[in-house]
Amino acid sequence: MSYTLYFDIGNSRIKLWRCHDDDVLEGMALPHYGAPGTVLSSLPPSFADMPLAVKGACVLDEAAKDSFAKGCRDKWGIVPEFAQSSSCHAGVTNAYASCPESLGVDRWLGLLAARRLGKDVCVVDCGSAITLDVLRASGRHEGGYILPGLDMMARALLQETGRVRFEEVGPPSVLLGKNTAEAVTHGVLASVVALIEALVRERQLALILTGGDSPVVGSLLSCPKVFEPELLLHGLQRYFADTGINPD
């Protein structure tokens, strides 16, 4: 079956999806060790057939993009298309008016995907960093926040203080900690949960959660939420369909 290959090159992993129209035939995530193009040589046989197109996003530098582009040329003879942030696209207006391309492309794609709902929303991506972005039903991006991820916040205490040390971590909670492990991990979660709930409540927003730590954060939120683990893929599909370069 013919397919389009979508990709997401993150800080440590590359995610790949084989898609036919809007259907995902197969998806996987692999570590890339700073050279995402080398991953393509070890893909399963289902990826051997040449895709119709290769389209995606990369949050890393030009060297990583060049590595992936070379891998695509070597494997399929195809030049990949990279999404990039802009001032306005697919009905979304970027809040970064003076330098729209500086908005992380992963955040931009999340906003494009959320636009399909036609609601005032807060998009929260709980990954290595936690990002919150507010999008109005009109498509106007109001801006957002960037926080360290859950692990990064906890590690910061370990690295920057001489006496905060712990090993055992219990289940996720925002209750007052009764030992150092709980005090750190519960404090990190409480700060993230409080910010999300305050933003959603004050601005009367629907909430979309994505990213690897979204189940942990979502389990502690009292406000309604929708989990969208493939939000970035939906954003990629919307991005390339609306640029007019999707041949499918």
Side-chain angles (χ1 to χ4, degrees):
M1 180 182 292
S2 61
Y3 72 96
T4 297
L5 180 66
Y6 290 97
F7 64 88
D8 168 31
I9 302 172
N11 290 311
S12 60
R13 297 192 305 166
I14 178 171
K15 295 180 182 178
L16 298 166
W17 300 272
R18 292 173 58 242
C19 296
H20 179 72
D21 295 330
D22 290 334
D23 297 325
V24 178
L25 305 176
E26 183 177 5
M28 63 175 51
L30 300 167
H32 58 64
Y33 306 109
T38 61
V39 173
L40 300 180
S41 62
S42 58
L43 293 178
S46 54
F47 286 81
D49 293 340
M50 183 167 56
L52 296 172
V54 180
K55 307 172 181 181
C58 177
V59 300
L60 302 180
D61 57 17
E62 291 300 318
K65 290 184 179 180
D66 291 343
S67 170
F68 187 74
K70 182 179 185 302
C72 290
R73 291 194 302 269
D74 292 345
K75 187 174 182 66
W76 299 296
I78 288 180
V79 177
E81 299 277 358
F82 289 91
Q84 59 183 8
S85 303
S86 59
S87 59
C88 186
H89 185 75
V92 178
T93 301
N94 195 333
Y96 284 27
S98 61
C99 192
E101 65 276 8
S102 67
L103 177 69
V105 67
D106 49 347
R107 293 171 63 194
W108 184 234
L109 293 169
L111 291 167
L112 299 188
R115 178 70 177 89
R116 297 182 304 176
L117 297 178
K119 297 180 180 179
D120 294 340
V121 298
C122 178
V123 181
V124 179
D125 189 340
C126 303
S128 54
I130 296 175
T131 61
L132 298 82
D133 283 283
V134 174
L135 180 71
R136 290 299 176 183
S138 63
R140 178 169 55 90
H141 175 217
E142 291 193 338
Y145 297 117
I146 302 175
L147 306 173
L150 301 181
D151 289 342
M152 191 181 300
M153 277 193 267
R155 286 201 309 271
L157 278 172
L158 294 175
Q159 293 169 357
E160 300 300 328
T161 62
R163 299 183 63 185
V164 177
R165 294 290 182 269
F166 62 88
E167 294 180 0
E168 298 298 326
V169 178
S173 173
V174 294
L175 298 176
L176 295 173
K178 300 297 179 63
N179 54 56
T180 302
E182 290 181 355
V184 172
T185 57
H186 295 191
V188 166
L189 285 166
S191 65
V192 173
V193 168
L195 176 59
I196 293 172
E197 292 190 335
L199 190 61
V200 168
R201 181 179 62 253
E202 291 170 5
R203 295 175 181 261
Q204 299 184 350
L205 306 170
L207 176 61
I208 299 175
L209 294 175
T210 191
D213 283 332
S214 59
V216 174
V217 173
S219 69
L220 299 170
L221 291 166
S222 60
C223 57
K225 61 270 184 184
V226 174
F227 292 97
E228 288 285 357
E230 304 291 8
L231 188 69
L232 191 140
L233 172 60
H234 299 325
L236 284 171
Q237 291 172 327
R238 184 171 179 85
Y239 177 94
F240 285 106
D242 285 347
T243 57
I245 60 176
N246 190 332
D248 298 339

